Amino acid sequence: MLQFQYFLPTRLLFGPGVLDLLAETPFLPKGSKALIVMSSGGSMVRSGVLGRIQGLLSARGVGSMVYDRVRPNPESEQVDEAAAVARDSGADFLVGLGGGSPLDVARTAASMARNPGRFWDYVQGGSGGKKTPENPPLPTVAIPTTAGTGSEMNCRAVISKTGSSEKLAWGSEADFAALAVVDPDLTLTLPPRQTALTGLDAMFHAMEGFLSTRRQPITDLMALEAVHLVANHLPKALADGSDRAARTVLAWAATSGGICLSQAGATAQHALEHALSALRPDLPHAAGLVLLCRAFFRRLAEKAPDRFLELSLALGCPELEAGPEGFHRALDRLLAEVGLGELKARDFGLDPSMAGLLADNALATNERLIGLTPGGMDRADLVQILEEALA
């Protein structure tokens, strides 16, 4: 019997040039002070995007402050710092600007700014304190400058505990962004490797949403479209980074992938990747997914082969070859075409001897995601996948 829930309260402004709508949209959160949360690299300053956003906010009578210490694979310490800045400055809302990391930190800091204690006190898994926030978060505006994470449409944020190897997703329905501004023009200068990684990140979100045991008709449709769009347009964006049409398609694939995550959830592929990048913080999240994908999908196709017929077609497999084997061949072709077919685990200090440790980490911190995997996966399955992926 078909039964599901769908809840997505985020207002979405999408399309080339929509950033300028910040100057007039009635959906900007109310207030006179905003905290802009962004990464530490300085790219938003050099590109002029930060100054542009501050000018648009200023035109609305909104002053802005900046927290710019977010790192890739963000940590709980950064959430606590950003929350303290928001609280002490009297910010009325937060703006997450950049990739998934600053967007995730902005949404979690928005909750911590209104609640006592530290972020990890509220984490529900691992060593988290399992407290429930008493007060609603400050509103957030999400402005992605990459086309991958879909964090602008997801209520959950992935944060590592500072000083540990724990990396977990956290959030509730209260933690959706109030407003998402997805302007593909902000991705036009994204370097080729980052374009490739973030594009595959979006594709894997869609694939996992399609495979998840929480899948539903709405996310099935969006997931298959997103996989198709990435497979067809990521090579175009890599061939010509200024291809505005390709960038727009990839931005929508990322946003719809985020919707799939918010409604259907991820699976054991993400649980395993969280273990990898918690142990090796310099490993980009999408690179970890690439390292895992072949071994993970081969094992999963043995357990749930029926879901791979439509996925293989969406990925570009000829109809006569559709199915698990056709899916694997099409995935290999796409990885090679975008220059990531030869990514090696050893380049990030990972090897098969770590498989048991990583599997235990995934089970201890992200059992919920493993539970959403069709056919079920136990420790032996996870170890097998990791040994193959890290070889």
Side-chain angles (χ1 to χ4, degrees):
M1 181 183 296
L2 182 64
Q3 187 179 80
F4 65 91
Q5 297 182 27
Y6 187 91
F7 178 71
L8 185 59
T10 302
R11 175 75 62 172
L12 172 64
L13 304 180
F14 182 94
V18 297
L19 184 64
D20 289 335
L21 295 180
L22 277 179
E24 60 186 56
T25 176
F27 306 114
L28 189 74
K30 305 300 182 185
S32 60
K33 291 183 180 180
L35 175 65
I36 299 173
V37 177
M38 62 187 201
S39 295
S40 56
S43 61
M44 295 300 100
V45 176
R46 292 191 297 272
S47 67
V49 173
L50 174 62
R52 185 177 165 197
I53 290 172
Q54 288 180 309
L56 291 166
L57 292 174
S58 180
R60 301 286 297 268
V62 179
S64 57
M65 301 143 291
V66 175
Y67 175 82
D68 61 354
R69 297 189 61 189
V70 179
R71 296 187 293 273
N73 294 311
E75 299 179 357
S76 57
E77 181 180 58
Q78 294 150 42
V79 175
D80 293 330
E81 289 177 351
V85 174
R87 188 167 49 245
D88 295 345
S89 64
D92 298 300
F93 62 92
L94 283 77
V95 177
L97 173 64
S101 294
L103 269 60
D104 280 4
V105 170
R107 288 189 291 103
T108 48
S111 186
M112 292 306 102
R114 298 282 313 276
N115 287 282
R118 302 176 71 82
F119 168 68
W120 213 257
D121 298 337
Y122 296 87
V123 170
Q124 299 300 306
S127 64
K130 300 177 177 57
K131 293 174 62 177
T132 300
E134 298 177 4
N135 303 308
L138 292 170
T140 57
V141 177
I143 306 177
T145 61
T146 66
T149 69
S151 182
E152 66 276 7
M153 304 303 288
N154 194 358
C155 67
R156 299 182 70 81
V158 180
I159 306 292
S160 296
K161 182 181 181 181
T162 300
S164 81
S165 59
E166 290 184 271
K167 182 178 180 181
L168 297 94
W170 178 90
S172 70
E173 289 185 349
D175 299 295
F176 280 103
L179 175 66
V181 181
V182 181
D183 188 335
D185 286 349
L186 298 180
T187 69
L188 288 170
T189 58
L190 205 63
R193 184 175 175 84
Q194 199 171 0
T195 297
L197 285 171
T198 53
L200 292 179
D201 190 18
M203 185 184 74
F204 291 134
H205 290 163
M207 286 180 174
E208 290 188 63
F210 185 75
L211 293 164
S212 166
T213 57
R214 276 178 46 201
R215 62 186 180 264
Q216 54 173 272
I218 298 171
T219 56
D220 277 0
L221 291 171
M222 299 186 82
L224 291 173
E225 182 193 38
V227 172
H228 172 76
L229 292 177
V230 172
N232 282 275
H233 293 273
L234 182 56
K236 295 178 183 177
L238 290 171
D240 178 6
S242 64
D243 186 334
R244 204 179 190 200
R247 293 290 192 180
T248 299
V249 167
L250 292 176
W252 170 240
T255 298
S256 56
I259 294 172
C260 290
L261 281 186
S262 75
Q263 306 298 317
T267 66
Q269 185 186 15
H270 264 67
L272 292 173
E273 196 295 316
H274 293 341
L276 294 183
S277 53
L279 184 66
R280 295 287 186 263
D282 291 336
L283 172 68
H285 169 64
L289 293 174
V290 172
L291 291 175
L292 291 162
C293 68
R294 292 185 177 98
F296 174 75
F297 287 120
R298 271 195 291 268
R299 189 74 181 110
L300 191 55
E302 296 172 5
K303 293 175 171 288
D306 57 305
R307 299 297 284 178
F308 283 83
L309 174 63
E310 291 173 283
L311 268 183
S312 66
L313 293 171
L315 196 55
C317 175
E319 189 170 352
L320 292 177
E321 300 176 16
E325 290 307 313
F327 171 87
H328 301 319
R329 287 192 292 271
L331 179 60
D332 280 341
R333 284 196 298 270
L334 180 60
L335 292 176
E337 192 171 3
V338 301
L340 294 171
E342 300 302 318
L343 203 66
K344 300 297 183 185
R346 61 176 175 268
D347 295 336
F348 302 97
L350 296 164
D351 65 69
S353 69
M354 301 173 177
L357 172 69
L358 292 165
D360 290 339
N361 181 300
L363 286 164
T365 58
N366 284 283
E367 188 177 12
R368 182 186 65 86
L369 299 182
I370 296 170
L372 295 179
T373 309
M377 283 198 175
D378 58 20
R379 184 180 186 276
D381 291 316
L382 302 181
V383 170
Q384 178 184 334
I385 291 166
L386 287 162
E387 287 178 340
E388 183 178 339
L390 304 182

